Amino acid sequence: MSPHTAQAGAGTEVRPRTPGRLHRIRVRSRTWLPGLLMVTPSILLIGVFVYGMIGWNTSLALSDQHAPVQDGSFVGLTNFAELWQESRWPAAVGNAVVFTVVFVGGALVLGWFLGLMLDKGLRGEAAFRTLFLAPMAVSFIATGVVWRWLMNPAPAERATGLNALFVQFDLEFLVNDWWTAPNMGMAAMALPAIWQLSGYIMALFLAGFRGVSEELREAARVDGCSEWGVYRHVVMPQLRPVTLSAVIILGHMSLKVFDLIIAIAGQQIVADVPAVYMWTTVFEVRDPAKGATIASYLLIAVAVFVIPYLVWTIRKERSEGR
Amino acid sequence: MRARCTQVSAAVMAAALLASGCGGDGGDGTEVEVFSWWTGGGEEAGLDALIERFEEDHPDVEFVNAAVAGGSGTNAQAVLEGRLQSQDPPDSFQGHAGAELQDYIEAGYLQPLDDFFGEQGLQEAMPDQLTEQITYEGSVYSVPVNVHRSNVLWSNPGVLEEAGVEETPETLDELIEALEAVEEETDAIPMAVGAQWTVDHLLESVLLGSLGTDAYNELWEPGADWDTPEVTEALESFEQIMEHTQEESAAEDWQEASRRVSEGEAAFNIMGDWAAGYFDEVGATAGEDYEWAPSPGTDGTYMWLSDSFTLPEGAPNEDAARSWLELVSSAEGQDLFNPVKGSIPARDDTDPAAYEDSAYLSEALAEWQDGPELAGSFWHGVTVGNRWKNDVDTAVGLYLGDGDLDTLQGALHEAAQAE
């Protein structure tokens, strides 16, 4: 969102005036005018294409317009309540929760661990950093295609992918159903996402580790702190902001996950999540009101992650006097 | 310098926007835009053959092939929906004949084609049951180009011999016995299925085989009663068949499931007759690597689905669009398209010689021209609209997770009442 609006804002601001004219206007007008002009296009664009659309979506979700051509009337929160009475929606929410917990937890732990390794001065740090970060450059669709093959759920006698590897090394007890397991399959679905994002989390943590000054660590060591104790009591407490950012970034990605699921499972109930359900509802069933309701739930779920982050950022900026 | 760059790029962008916004449809009859999701394999080749003939017959009309790739039409349908809603329809678009078009008809996007059917004599050229089953509130809205059969049982003769199954099963009970024999005697998968939708596909063949053609067709009348012992019995057969499918099915699509049959990894697969085209593509030999029969209990019935073309309301080049429909509905056009696409013509008066190269197609065509009973495929959009179809799909998906047959029947019944 922000890169596009920023570009559009800069483009329309500079285009109509030559620098000389802009200068004269600036001299004549009050100091706030240029600033206002600068942000007006992006305020308008964001107003229409973000908040306007959210408003439209919300009004659709509160209506009974269940076919594209029919007119809807206001029905309050009926759609929001009805979703919970069917079997598919709670299952999709359950899947999203399992996915989010495993993905956020897994990427945090792995990212933190990789960051720690590099901070401890691993030989060839630059190479490892690039290596761990590289999966970030791959799209979820490409990741999904590869992991769909890796996580093939065929039993030992027909095994391919990782299952075949397990069979090869006489680890047949590890052969499993992966994402096709009815209840906890979504935990396996989180593996590709962890693989893809843990490098990024590593970079966040590494920056965090490096941000803790050597004097502080030295002081702790002088006071007789063990190396583990230095991390436990000195470094980690200062990483809270980094951890929070990481949780928010991973959390909101995870709740609206769509492309990874489509690449691995397609539209199947076993791997159904709210975003896939929404797509089916809007484009296949063609039920605008129900689709908008699911979209609203997604927005609320993401907001639960993003709003505390915004509040925290604003507070921090205030306290730092910016 | 920087400002000039920005000015130039802004001007370029504005020009691009203008071009994309105002380009195209002049509406003066010099072009015809046809929208489809035929972008690969035999489908594309068949479409190209039609386009070539169209351009020969109408040298003054430019043919615009607006095909959108992917997802057996789901991507195309999302694009199409946007164009129809913003009143920018193509001159003709592809859609499965039958109830799948219902939403478009109700929205007033499509013109009735009764006069066209009359002019071209299509009522006589196509089987009565076919035109009946695509009629919506007394009118037809699309011109069928081809017919596919959904209820085909593919089997591997080698595996069946090894299992001691001597005759192709003709009833569901015989099928289940055969599946058990394969399970016991061989290492092969008794019944190969793929991702969730192929299970929907299997379900419709089992329902047809267990209930018979008339009772099956009645199931898809709005408000139909699914809460009957007959449906329970059909679903029990379905469950027994599902017990003999492979564990990893969810990770495979129909191609893998069919390929397992032709390569001897599986004994049976119930899939539409597009599998015949796929077997040709992978170099399998009919009679040796695979055999076919109507799915058990459905001999004499064609569970059909059909690709068809429409005439949208407000088509910019209506005359040219009618010429296109004329071509695709003619015996000549259908014989150009179908042998390449791997389907049989919807008309029953076309030339069998065009289909002689394919063992499957020539047999299927003979059967079609013989006047079989017709049942519409639910999964492929003939009998039910998108909402009902999706409800069934959801019920089947939930059943695959929890294995609860009563819940499945309850959900199927409820889906029928919701219409």
Side-chain angles (χ1 to χ4, degrees), chain A residues 11 14-15 66 68-69 87-88 148 152-155 158 179-180 182 267-270 279-280 283-287, chain B residues 3 6-7 10 74 78 81 85 103-104 107 189 195-196 246-248 250-252 260 386-387 390 394 397-398 401:
Chain A
V14 181
R15 180 170 48 91
H66 291 297
V69 282
S87 332
R88 180 170 175 177
R148 177 188 160 97
N152 189 306
R158 293 190 294 271
W179 57 271
T180 61
Q267 288 166 277
Q268 300 194 73
I269 296 294
V270 66
W279 196 85
T280 312
F283 291 111
E284 287 183 24
V285 180
R286 300 200 184 93
D287 185 338
Chain B
T6 326
Q7 276 172 349
T74 46
E81 182 74 37
Q85 278 188 19
D103 291 342
Y104 295 139
I189 302 158
Q196 189 174 312
Q246 80 273 35
E247 294 90 331
E248 66 269 40
E252 300 180 353
R260 284 187 185 281
N386 296 310
R387 185 186 306 257
N390 209 269
T394 301
L398 291 167

Side-chain angles (χ1 to χ4, degrees), chain B residues 370-381:
Chain B
D370 211 25
E373 291 278 298
L374 295 191
S377 155
F378 104 81
W379 176 253
H380 302 282

